[in-house]
Amino acid sequence: MKRIIFLLILTASCVCGKKGGDNCCATDAIAQSQSPQTFNYSPDYKAIKVDASRLARIDSLLQDYVDRGLIPHALTFVAKDGQVIHNKAFGWRDVEKQIPLQKDDIFRMYSQTKAITTVALMQLFEQGKFQLDDPVSKYIPEMTDQVKTNGGGTHKAPSPVQIRQLMSHTSGIGGLQGGDKPYVTLAEYVREQVKQPLQYDPGMGWNYHPASDVWAYLVEYFSGQPLQEYIEENIFKPLGISDMAYYYPESFKDRFVTIYREEGGKIAPTEMWSGRYPFGDDRRFANGGTGLNGTIEGYARFLQAILNGGSFNDNRILGRRTIEVMSKDQVKHPEGGSENFRFGLGFQIYPGEKLTWDVQGGFSPMVSPGALSWGGMANTDYIIDPRENMIILLYTNRIPDTRVWELFLNTVYQALE
């Protein structure tokens, strides 16, 4: 799973009053202008200090990758100060049928699901449903306290698994044994998963993905609603996100982008879904870490809300302080990863300035330290860069990675004045 990034430094707002005076009101007005509630598709390049002529380098890069058959398609969405400076489709939704990619086509987003379900749980945290350091066993009694040992046995964990360790992937929860069972509900699946011994003492390592279904079940536990219903009501509708879902009517099939896998040096279509089949009859099961599909503009709305400190479309989905808490590194170093690998609650944190950069690990010297990001397995990638007040998305549905993402970042940032 490719690792990319995601951190937030939000500007503080002020309340105007007798003591604040005009300067406070001016500061507040500036803060509001930097938290746009809609996207402007007619950018004022001069005002936002972007050299529009240099944006053509993005087109050249992505068209070249398509022309050489390295990727089947690419879709961009870059917004600075809420002004969309690049949103173009390249290549084919279906290469074999020569169907051009459209900007409102639906992509399989895989692990981009995680940020959304993390925000869902943090909304319930804001409502006082739990504390981040609460043991998971307080709400899921089946949660194990046993840890695997090198000799094949187990020992008791020195401390219980905490809720915050689920969202930072530091809980030690591993993959479920016998996972081919056709589980009907997320609750049924999770209650079996958490019985398995942990891979390491809680908080002392980092392993990706399995815990995401556990925190998703907690969304259902605390809200009393199915996961799909909760995120639709509390995230998608407030932000004006349409066409993002786990399951769809048959009429949506033609809008789904064909996914491609490299085989023998060439790309070929493959049937690999993000979670369960989105046109199946039984639509009760939804994963916390994968399964959502959607448009790039829909996900951009979600990212802009995070960049804005929790609001977009004139609706607030999280508080500013909550996002600041989510943006703090939760990984113990060096046990949980190298010094440059940092992860908060739901998002990876971009490392600070370095003399050398691990491009193979997803890092680029062009991205501001403290930016936040994550990506989906089929290469739907994004960055939130608070320093530049910018969100950057590049979508392809192609496996494995071609490293075009890191080159794309170069072409985006070089256009900033």
Side-chain angles (χ1 to χ4, degrees):
M1 182 69 60
K2 116 186 314 194
R3 299 188 309 209
I4 340 180
I5 344 253
F6 199 81
L7 183 230
L8 293 164
I9 306 169
L10 291 316
T11 54
S13 61
C14 68
V15 178
C16 297
K18 292 182 179 179
K19 293 184 178 180
D22 293 338
N23 289 338
C24 180
C25 291
T27 303
D28 191 50
I30 292 170
Q32 290 179 18
S33 71
Q34 294 176 343
S35 300
Q37 297 301 305
T38 60
F39 287 125
N40 179 359
Y41 285 87
S42 300
D44 183 341
Y45 295 106
K46 183 176 181 180
I48 60 176
K49 297 183 178 180
V50 172
D51 186 337
S53 66
R54 293 170 71 90
L55 292 172
R57 297 177 179 183
I58 300 175
D59 301 34
S60 298
L61 170 70
L62 297 178
Q63 191 61 56
D64 176 62
Y65 262 65
V66 170
D67 291 345
R68 288 193 287 153
L70 299 176
I71 57 176
H73 49 247
L75 181 58
T76 68
F77 194 104
V78 182
K80 180 169 172 57
D81 299 343
Q83 301 192 42
V84 181
I85 61 174
H86 205 277
N87 179 212
K88 292 185 180 181
F90 302 83
W92 313 96
R93 177 201 305 160
D94 188 307
V95 175
E96 288 68 32
K97 296 178 181 178
Q98 291 288 280
I99 301 174
L101 183 70
Q102 303 296 322
K103 289 192 284 187
D104 65 347
D105 281 342
I106 297 173
F107 284 76
R108 301 171 221 193
M109 300 192 305
Y110 293 95
S111 285
Q112 285 192 252
T113 303
K114 290 179 173 67
I116 290 174
T117 57
T118 300
V119 165
L121 185 57
M122 293 305 293
Q123 288 179 328
L124 295 160
F125 164 77
E126 290 185 329
Q127 296 173 31
K129 301 291 187 180
F130 65 93
Q131 293 287 10
L132 292 174
D133 286 343
D134 280 352
V136 175
S137 58
K138 181 177 179 179
Y139 309 105
I140 309 177
E142 293 88 348
M143 184 72 238
T144 187
D145 63 358
Q146 297 298 303
V147 182
K148 292 179 181 179
T149 61
N150 292 333
T154 63
H155 67 262
K156 186 174 181 178
S159 59
V161 174
Q162 299 171 342
I163 292 179
R164 67 178 176 86
Q165 293 167 342
L166 300 176
M167 294 181 282
S168 61
H169 303 282
T170 61
S171 66
I173 293 173
L176 177 65
Q177 302 297 316
D180 293 335
K181 180 180 176 180
Y183 294 95
V184 173
T185 66
L186 183 60
E188 179 188 8
Y189 172 72
V190 167
R191 285 172 181 152
E192 286 200 21
Q193 177 175 325
V194 298
K195 293 177 183 177
Q196 309 298 326
L198 304 173
Q199 295 185 346
Y200 50 80
D201 291 339
M204 298 302 292
W206 192 88
N207 67 301
Y208 185 61
H209 186 68
S212 57
D213 287 322
V214 183
W215 82 62
Y217 167 64
L218 288 177
V219 172
E220 297 189 339
Y221 178 91
F222 292 123
S223 70
Q225 295 178 270
L227 180 65
Q228 297 177 74
E229 180 182 307
Y230 181 89
I231 61 176
E232 174 68 26
E233 179 180 321
N234 295 279
I235 298 177
F236 296 163
K237 285 185 177 179
L239 297 181
I241 296 174
S242 59
D243 300 340
M244 187 176 293
Y246 289 90
Y247 299 100
Y248 293 81
E250 291 280 335
S251 59
F252 278 72
K253 273 188 175 181
D254 290 341
R255 288 181 57 194
F256 268 75
V257 175
T258 302
I259 194 166
Y260 288 82
R261 181 186 293 275
E262 182 179 344
E263 298 176 356
K266 296 182 179 181
I267 56 172
T270 184
E271 284 295 320
M272 192 175 81
W273 292 99
S274 173
R276 301 199 175 185
Y277 185 60
F279 306 106
D281 295 328
D282 188 346
R283 304 184 172 198
R284 290 173 290 179
F285 193 96
N287 291 103
T290 190
L292 279 175
N293 310 278
T295 66
I296 198 169
E297 195 268 352
Y299 209 87
R301 285 173 168 263
F302 172 74
L303 298 184
Q304 189 68 44
I306 302 299
L307 179 60
N308 287 350
S311 67
F312 187 74
N313 200 38
D314 293 319
N315 287 303
R316 179 165 294 280
I317 61 168
L318 275 183
R320 174 182 61 84
R321 285 291 296 136
T322 304
I323 295 175
E324 291 174 357
V325 168
M326 295 169 69
S327 303
K328 295 179 180 179
D329 185 23
Q330 300 289 317
V331 178
K332 182 176 177 57
H333 303 280
E335 291 89 343
S338 70
E339 182 60 32
N340 291 317
F341 178 68
R342 301 176 184 183
F343 205 94
L345 301 181
F347 310 116
Q348 186 173 343
I349 304 166
Y350 217 86
E353 299 289 357
K354 300 170 55 180
L355 294 177
T356 60
W357 291 87
D358 178 16
V359 175
Q360 297 303 313
F363 298 118
S364 166
M366 299 292 271
V367 182
S368 304
L372 306 175
S373 179
W374 200 245
M377 181 171 63
N379 295 295
T380 52
D381 296 314
Y382 62 85
I383 277 179
I384 300 178
D385 190 329
R387 180 177 292 185
E388 299 293 346
N389 200 28
M390 184 165 62
I391 59 171
I392 305 168
L393 299 91
L394 176 64
Y395 274 22
T396 67
N397 267 176
R398 192 265 201 211
I399 297 172
D401 184 19
T402 62
R403 306 254 68 97
V404 69
W405 167 243
E406 290 77 19
L407 297 174
F408 169 70
L409 292 176
N410 296 349
T411 62
V412 171
Y413 279 90
Q414 60 83 36
L416 302 183
E417 293 183 340

